[in-house]
């Protein structure tokens, strides 16, 4: 089993390349970059965000550096003071396409290598030190040594930390972080690409409504298509709304949704069979009894 973990998200910084905008609060696909990052680690035992308080979809522990704006090592040190798990995930708050699968991959890589102190993501051959899973004690040790050696942690580069740890590098495909408005525009365009827009929209709606539910998108769309084709176009959104309402009244589990979808789909089939020329009728003959 992979050990429980805490997460520290660094959500400060001046975002100079964004003209000083509050980068973690910038939206991509209607969700803030911070919320999109937090969605990649929903099973963390504790989530610590270092930076100014902002609205978030799920509860987090907020903290700040002693001197805000001191850079990533100072922010990481502040976050670690609230961590109790032996394993800690370290993230920047601008990873719009980070997925839970990537987090699991990094955690498993660290667990499988007893000699490693850190499993660090690489993308296009470059280290991503703010997408890494650490053993907490070696991380605290190196931060303390750096603070003693330099007399401070403020404004020290991250590479000083990773250079002293036993690092296992794990190639990943997480998509770029967002440092510029061009990066933001590219991320916003990417979520609208054919093949991912429905998943992105469904995830955004679930987050906005506070739903934790696996949705069988294909089944729902098939139901909407059948209702639109066999009844009338407005029947599609109305039917899917009623299915959701019925599932919620039954308890709202994935099984409740599946039952409601099946019942509505069967009704749509029966309705379509009764249509003139439908499979259940023939010209000049009455519909079948029952």
């Amino acid at each position: 089993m992979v050990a429980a973990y805490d997460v520290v998200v660094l959500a400060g910084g001046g975002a100079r390349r964004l003209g000083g905008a509050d980068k973690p609060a910038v939206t991509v696909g209607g969700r803030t970059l911070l919320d999109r990052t937090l969605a990649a680690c929903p099973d963390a035992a504790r989530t610590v965000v270092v930076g100014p308080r902002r609205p978030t979809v799920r509860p987090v522990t907020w903290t700040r550096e002693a001197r805000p704006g001191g850079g990533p090592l100072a922010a990481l040190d502040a976050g670690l003071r609230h961590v109790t798990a032996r394993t800690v995930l370290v993230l920047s708050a601008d990873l719009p396409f980070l997925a839970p699968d990537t987090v699991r991959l990094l955690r498993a890589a660290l667990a499988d290598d007893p000699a490693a102190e850190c499993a660090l993501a690489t993308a296009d051959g470059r280290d991503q030190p703010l997408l890494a899973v650490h053993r907490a004690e070696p991380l605290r040790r190196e931060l303390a040594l750096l603070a003693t050696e330099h007399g401070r942690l403020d404004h020290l580069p991250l590479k000083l930390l990773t250079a002293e740890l036993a690092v296992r590098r794990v190639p990943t495909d997480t998509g770029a972080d967002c440092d510029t408005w061009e990066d933001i525009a590219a991320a916003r365009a990417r979520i609208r690409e054919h093949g991912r827009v429905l998943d992105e929209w469904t995830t955004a709606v679930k987050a906005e409504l506070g739903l934790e539910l696996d949705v069988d998108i294909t089944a729902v769309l098939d139901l909407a298509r059948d209702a639109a084709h066999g009844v009338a176009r407005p029947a599609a959104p109305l039917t899917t709304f009623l299915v959701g309402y019925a599932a919620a009244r039954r308890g709202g589990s994935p099984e409740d949704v599946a039952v409601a979808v099946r019942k509505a789909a069967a009704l749509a089939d029966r309705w379509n069979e009764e249509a003139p020329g439908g499979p259940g009728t023939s010209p000049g003959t009455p519909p079948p009894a029952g």
Side-chain angles (χ1 to χ4, degrees), residues 17-280:
R17 297 171 69 185
L18 289 178
D22 183 7
K23 182 164 64 170
V26 172
T27 60
V28 170
R31 293 189 292 158
T32 67
L33 288 174
L34 177 56
D35 275 334
R36 292 181 71 93
T37 300
L38 292 175
C41 48
D43 54 345
R46 174 174 294 184
T47 301
V48 182
V49 181
V50 185
R53 288 176 177 267
R54 307 170 178 91
T56 53
V57 168
R58 64 181 176 87
V60 302
T61 299
W62 292 96
T63 192
R64 296 300 304 270
E65 315 93 311
R67 292 176 292 278
L73 289 185
L76 180 53
D77 181 64
L80 280 175
R81 298 177 189 276
H82 298 270
V83 163
T84 58
R86 295 182 178 181
T87 303
V88 56
L89 170 67
V90 176
L91 300 174
S92 62
D94 60 349
L95 298 168
F97 298 108
L98 179 62
D101 283 349
T102 300
V103 172
R104 285 191 286 268
L105 177 67
L106 290 168
R107 294 174 60 208
L110 184 65
D112 291 343
D113 189 347
E117 296 171 324
C118 167
L120 184 149
T122 64
D124 299 323
R126 295 184 301 163
D127 286 352
Q128 306 291 318
L130 293 182
L131 175 48
V133 177
H134 293 260
R135 300 193 198 279
E137 287 313 308
L139 182 57
R140 290 190 176 95
R141 177 197 70 216
E142 292 305 326
L143 285 171
L145 289 173
L146 286 171
T148 299
E149 181 180 351
H150 295 271
R152 58 184 173 83
L153 289 174
D154 292 8
H155 308 296
L156 294 180
L158 270 171
K159 63 182 180 181
L160 291 179
L161 175 66
T162 53
E164 299 299 328
L165 292 169
V167 173
R168 178 172 180 179
R169 288 170 170 80
V170 181
T172 61
D173 181 18
T174 61
D177 54 6
C178 292
D179 290 327
T180 67
W181 286 115
E182 288 76 13
D183 295 337
I184 297 291
R188 288 172 172 172
R190 181 179 172 186
I191 67 167
R192 288 170 170 77
E193 292 174 353
H194 179 71
R196 73 178 303 141
V197 64
L198 284 178
D199 284 334
E200 287 283 355
W201 172 248
T202 302
T203 300
V205 171
K206 290 193 295 183
E208 193 72 16
L209 299 180
L211 300 175
E212 295 183 6
L213 180 69
D214 290 330
V215 178
D216 187 340
I217 295 177
T218 299
V220 172
L221 291 181
D222 285 347
L223 169 62
R225 181 202 61 209
D226 292 344
H229 176 73
V231 185
R233 290 182 65 84
L238 180 59
T239 303
T240 52
F241 164 77
L242 292 173
V243 163
Y245 184 74
R249 291 193 64 183
R250 291 177 61 91
S253 71
E255 292 76 15
D256 295 327
V257 175
V259 168
V261 167
R262 286 197 298 270
K263 287 184 175 181
L267 174 62
D269 287 342
R270 296 197 303 273
W271 187 287
N272 192 40
E273 286 177 355
E274 297 174 5

